Amino acid sequence: MDNDIYLTNNLNNRKEKFTPINKAKIGMYVCGPTVYDNPHIGNARPLVIFDILFKVLKSKYGNNSVNYVRNITDIDDKIIKSSKEKNIPISELTSNIIKGFDDDCNYLNLDGPSQQPKATDHIDLMIEMISSLIAKGFAYEKNDHVYFEVNKFEDYGKLSNKKLEDLIAGSRVEVSENKKNVEDFVLWKPSSNDEPFWGSPWGKGRPGWHLECSTMSKKYLGNIFDIHGGGIDLLFPHHENEIAQSRCANNTKSFANYWIHNAFITISNEKMSKSTGNILKIKDFKENIDGQVLKLALMSAHYKQPLDWNEKLLKDCLNTIEKWYEVYVSVDKRIVLNDEILSPLYDDLNTPGYIANLHQLYEKALKGNNNDKNLFVLACNFIGILNKTKEEWLSIKKKKLLISDADILKKIELRNNAREVKDYKEADIIRNELLDKGVLIEDKDGKTIWKLK
Ligand SMILES: [Zn+2]
């Protein structure tokens, strides 16, 4: 095996060998959250996936060689709407949500990003880029709005494989009498009196969403950089528009060299949506489940495949982590992970393949010596698992509601022992303890069986 990194590049939909522009200064930009509401489990997937990519790049090129930028969108129509609905100032709403988001990232034990710029700190650069696009003939002003003229950029649609005709026929574009063509998208728009605004050559207003990633990636990573990532829902129009703006404003033949997108999460095989009420927020897991269980679940499918989220998945991951802690040792940092262990991750971030390797390393550690245990724990640590000591894990576990199969069986055994010596009071206490954790037990034909409530 070579120890090159391969990634599926959406620019041509092929798995390609990753070749950085400058291996001492690798640039990675990932579209971050729009801070109008707490992030849900679907938002957690790119956080975890691109964090794994960050770790893989660091392991190959060195800890200080990767600049991972993930923006925060703190001005957007959704934010304005949410602040009106909640009747709190925008600044209060966004700072609360950012704080919650940072807590979620800590809970998921992420390494990155290296930088987390906010859109509202870069409005001057956005105005500069719009002015440059107008000067070069790629954008125009109409009634205090500025639009990007899509048909002026001949490569439009190449990333998402969309033709301009399909785009217009599909009417996935906002209709406005200010536009020259329906497919044009907004770079600047006026704000009404009760909306936030910034002064500009086109009057008081605010930038369009797509523009911020073009300006912030330019500022922190340059006109052309290595990797741009995000959820698959951003492929079109957001990323297509970023490419158009950046390449036209910067006079370049390319923008990001590798475009990586993660697939959706479904909830018990249904699409997550507000209307079905099945939106699971990251923060709502904190009380019941340790972050590393959630993280293992998020890595259980390959990033290009949809991931179905359900109770069984979480339970299986909890059981796995529980089992893995049996061979926990505090690691000797002198041991290094070899390329063979990391190879599934180098091969297009194959996290299920890596987890399969971990299962094998666990089996070896179970029968083997301290070195085998060390290697296993180190390999878990690489993806942010088993990062807590066994004592920490045991004390967290007590407070959490989700209980592993092994613990349920232990409790049932204790209860049966109590019943044998006719200590029914103790037996009832154990039954109620299990009930509190959502486990129902039933005595049938001399056996005790259990199921989840
Ligand atoms: Zn973006």
Side-chain angles (χ1 to χ4, degrees):
M1 188 212 99
D2 56 27
N3 70 340
D4 290 315
I5 295 170
Y6 286 82
L7 297 167
T8 297
N9 188 355
N10 284 120
L11 273 183
N12 52 26
N13 291 321
R14 273 204 300 264
K15 193 155 87 176
E16 289 184 331
K17 181 176 150 179
F18 174 66
T19 311
I21 300 165
N22 174 355
K23 61 183 179 185
K25 241 176 130 182
I26 294 165
M28 173 160 91
Y29 188 94
V30 175
C31 297
T34 300
V35 287
Y36 71 103
D37 199 359
N38 295 102
H40 54 69
I41 197 70
N43 306 126
R45 195 174 190 197
L47 295 178
V48 168
I49 290 302
F50 290 103
D51 205 60
I52 297 290
L53 180 54
F54 185 43
K55 290 176 206 288
V56 167
L57 292 168
K58 285 192 296 178
S59 86
K60 180 163 170 68
Y61 297 100
N63 267 340
N64 300 319
S65 60
V66 190
N67 190 4
Y68 168 19
V69 179
R70 190 183 61 214
N71 67 302
I72 285 191
T73 300
D74 58 349
I75 176 67
D76 185 84
D77 288 354
K78 284 182 193 156
I79 296 173
I80 297 171
K81 189 167 168 252
S82 176
S83 108
K84 280 181 186 162
E85 280 168 6
K86 294 188 169 104
N87 201 20
I88 53 170
I90 285 180
S91 57
E92 193 182 325
L93 171 73
T94 56
S95 68
N96 284 346
I97 302 288
I98 291 170
K99 196 187 161 295
F101 175 73
D102 287 341
D103 287 349
D104 291 346
C105 291
N106 287 337
Y107 170 63
L108 290 169
N109 186 31
L110 306 175
D111 275 11
S114 326
Q115 283 162 294
Q116 189 164 250
K118 283 195 272 190
T120 53
D121 291 336
H122 297 81
I123 304 286
D124 51 340
L125 290 179
M126 296 186 211
I127 291 173
E128 215 172 273
M129 190 174 271
I130 297 171
S131 303
S132 145
L133 286 168
I134 294 175
K136 288 174 182 152
F138 293 109
Y140 58 91
E141 186 199 359
K142 181 84 190 285
N143 291 335
D144 306 328
H145 292 71
V146 183
Y147 290 98
F148 185 92
E149 194 167 355
V150 166
N151 63 23
K152 292 274 174 77
F153 178 57
E154 60 175 20
D155 283 346
Y156 194 84
K158 278 210 168 154
L159 175 72
S160 55
N161 266 326
K162 281 189 195 297
K163 291 193 186 79
L164 211 50
E165 306 87 83
D166 300 343
L167 176 62
I168 297 163
S171 69
R172 288 188 58 182
V173 283
E174 188 201 344
V175 180
S176 163
E177 58 189 20
N178 294 322
K179 289 181 180 182
K180 278 193 199 169
N181 317 291
V182 284
E183 68 272 20
D184 297 348
F185 61 88
V186 75
L187 299 173
W188 188 266
K189 58 182 168 187
S191 294
S192 60
N193 286 338
D194 60 344
E195 291 173 344
F197 65 83
W198 288 263
S200 83
W202 321 286
K204 288 176 178 176
R206 58 185 194 275
W209 166 48
H210 311 300
L211 195 67
E212 63 176 89
C213 294
S214 283
T215 52
M216 287 190 273
S217 60
K218 180 182 168 78
K219 176 174 173 183
Y220 296 97
L221 301 172
N223 290 350
I224 300 173
F225 54 94
D226 296 296
I227 298 171
H228 195 311
I232 191 72
D233 52 324
L234 299 181
L235 179 74
F236 181 85
H238 184 53
H239 288 165
E240 201 71 72
N241 293 354
E242 278 188 41
I243 293 174
Q245 295 162 159
S246 292
R247 282 189 46 197
C248 293
N250 303 330
N251 291 325
T252 51
K253 286 264 177 273
S254 60
F255 173 40
N257 290 339
Y258 298 83
W259 286 83
I260 319 292
H261 294 93
N262 66 274
F264 289 121
I265 284 188
T266 53
I267 309 286
S268 301
N269 291 315
E270 273 186 47
K271 197 171 177 259
M272 195 171 10
S273 77
K274 262 197 180 144
S275 55
T276 51
N278 62 354
I279 293 183
L280 305 173
K281 304 271 174 72
I282 303 172
K283 71 180 175 66
D284 296 334
F285 288 95
K286 283 180 195 161
E287 202 170 304
N288 298 342
I289 302 157
D290 187 52
Q292 54 186 330
V293 176
L294 205 72
K295 202 167 173 177
L296 188 63
L298 286 163
M299 288 185 281
S300 62
H302 190 272
Y303 76 92
K304 286 190 303 173
Q305 302 300 325
L307 168 64
D308 189 50
W309 194 263
N310 52 61
E311 282 293 314
K312 186 180 178 300
L313 172 70
L314 276 180
K315 198 83 168 39
D316 288 348
C317 290
L318 174 74
N319 290 337
T320 298
I321 300 243
E322 173 91 346
K323 189 176 83 174
W324 286 354
Y325 263 108
E326 286 168 22
V327 295
Y328 179 86
V329 285
S330 72
V331 286
D332 180 347
K333 300 271 183 206
R334 283 169 302 183
I335 297 180
V336 260
L337 290 176
N338 59 36
D339 288 342
E340 202 189 322
I341 292 176
L342 292 175
S343 65
L345 294 181
Y346 278 39
D347 182 14
D348 203 16
L349 304 178
N350 180 4
T351 49
Y354 190 72
I355 293 168
N357 270 5
L358 291 178
H359 282 292
Q360 283 181 6
L361 288 171
Y362 162 78
E363 293 298 335
K364 238 175 134 186
L366 202 58
K367 298 179 209 116
N369 58 23
N370 214 42
N371 254 359
D372 296 316
K373 290 188 173 77
N374 247 303
L375 198 63
F376 168 68
V377 176
L378 208 62
C380 287
N381 287 170
F382 187 82
I383 55 166
I385 305 290
L386 260 57
N387 50 304
K388 295 176 170 118
T389 65
K390 193 163 182 173
E391 289 69 37
E392 284 169 332
W393 167 252
L394 291 174
S395 82
I396 290 166
K397 217 174 64 159
K398 270 189 207 147
K399 292 180 227 147
K400 304 286 175 191
L401 284 173
L402 201 66
I403 179 169
S404 70
D405 292 2
D407 277 346
I408 295 171
L409 294 177
K410 249 184 254 164
K411 291 266 180 203
I412 290 175
E413 199 189 326
L414 286 174
R415 177 173 167 270
N416 287 342
N417 293 344
R419 275 155 45 105
E420 250 169 52
V421 296
K422 298 203 183 336
D423 185 354
Y424 297 113
K425 201 177 154 197
E426 175 65 15
D428 281 348
I429 290 173
I430 296 170
R431 175 195 282 270
N432 288 335
E433 265 176 25
L434 283 169
L435 205 58
D436 282 346
K437 293 192 183 256
V439 181
L440 276 173
I441 52 173
E442 211 178 297
D443 302 307
K444 218 176 175 184
D445 307 328
K447 269 192 195 163
T448 307
I449 53 166
W450 67 268
K451 60 180 181 190
L452 294 176
K453 247 198 310 196

